[in-house]
Amino acid sequence: MVYTDMPDATLIKLYVAGGEEALEVLIKRHQAKIYGFIFSKVSNPDLADDIFQDTFIKVIHTLKSRRYNEEGKFLPWVIRIAHNLIMDHYRKEKRNQVINDSEEMPLFMFLKDDSDIIESAMIKEQIEVDLRILIEELPHDQRQVIMMRIYQDLSFKEIAELTEVSINTALGRMRYALLNLRKLINDKKIILTE
């Protein structure tokens, strides 16, 4: 059976049915784009390798448990998994930072009133949560372009390639997404400023 000419959706079905070679073809087909996306965010080859492997572990787990939703395209879905793993890495890294008390850097340097900064961060976090909820209400194609542009920092050319549409279509989806978001913000009377 020649897997290399088959579309992603067919390869996924074959893999779920037990055709391990189908996954190899999927990985080889999209490896450069996925790894390139990860490396562009972390700029560390070892870390990029780790996240790439973790991404496909998660892909395999999701496919094997039959929880993959074919609504979207395979590549944007995998990119989203990679993006989430990158964000998890940075969150974990931030939590693990240790402040060392030494003569060069006394602990008292770090003791100051940060209540305004903390409040500002909490407000910003709440705004992001509200915005994410609103984005979930958008139609799939508009939600997809917003997530790829804003949260994955992809260019419209990359979005067009990943979603297999023209650049004009990707731009149009973004425009309608922003118009619909403004309408939702007004309708729900949400304040998105500090």
Side-chain angles (χ1 to χ4, degrees):
M1 197 179 293
V2 181
Y3 288 116
T4 50
D5 300 330
M6 295 181 178
D8 290 353
T10 307
L11 289 169
I12 289 163
K13 284 181 182 142
L14 285 168
Y15 174 68
V16 170
E20 297 293 321
E21 310 86 34
L23 182 69
E24 268 184 61
V25 175
L26 277 169
I27 292 172
K28 282 181 184 164
R29 181 179 291 172
H30 299 297
Q31 182 174 351
K33 280 187 179 174
I34 296 163
Y35 183 85
F37 169 77
I38 295 167
F39 187 78
S40 74
K41 302 296 178 201
V42 299
S43 302
N44 175 324
D46 293 333
L47 179 59
D49 286 341
D50 289 347
I51 292 174
F52 182 83
Q53 287 180 5
D54 290 346
T55 299
F56 272 95
I57 289 168
K58 204 158 190 164
V59 166
I60 290 165
H61 180 71
T62 305
L63 293 177
K64 287 287 188 186
S65 62
R66 301 181 189 276
R67 288 184 291 126
Y68 174 66
N69 176 0
E70 290 182 49
E71 177 190 329
K73 301 268 187 261
F74 178 73
L75 183 58
W77 173 65
V78 177
I79 294 272
R80 195 163 54 246
I81 290 172
H83 177 264
N84 290 340
L85 288 171
I86 291 164
M87 297 308 291
D88 289 347
H89 165 76
Y90 283 122
R91 280 190 208 104
K92 189 175 170 187
E93 193 178 70
K94 205 171 184 179
R95 278 196 305 266
N96 290 340
Q97 283 178 342
V98 178
I99 298 171
N100 292 321
D101 189 16
S102 66
E103 284 183 25
E104 301 88 41
M105 202 181 288
L107 187 61
F108 295 107
M109 279 178 55
F110 299 99
L111 298 177
K112 59 181 181 184
D113 183 8
D114 285 336
S115 56
D116 287 345
I117 295 167
I118 293 166
E119 184 182 352
S120 181
M122 288 172 66
I123 292 168
K124 186 173 186 271
E125 192 176 317
Q126 186 58 51
I127 289 169
E128 286 177 20
V129 168
D130 290 343
L131 197 52
R132 284 273 188 164
I133 291 167
L134 293 178
I135 289 169
E136 288 302 315
E137 292 188 34
L138 294 173
H140 172 72
D141 57 347
Q142 293 174 21
R143 183 173 63 242
Q144 186 180 38
V145 77
I146 284 264
M147 296 304 285
M148 294 172 95
R149 181 75 182 121
I150 306 298
Y151 295 101
Q152 296 173 9
D153 198 27
L154 298 178
S155 69
F156 282 106
K157 185 176 186 292
E158 291 170 316
I159 294 169
E161 287 172 7
L162 290 171
T163 56
E164 298 174 359
V165 298
S166 70
I167 291 179
N168 284 340
T169 301
L171 286 165
R173 287 177 179 175
M174 184 67 162
R175 182 174 175 271
Y176 285 114
L178 293 173
L179 288 171
N180 284 333
L181 275 176
R182 280 194 197 105
K183 187 177 184 319
L184 285 166
I185 289 164
N186 289 334
D187 291 351
K188 295 177 185 279
K189 296 180 176 28
I190 293 173
I191 298 166
L192 293 180
T193 55
E194 290 188 30

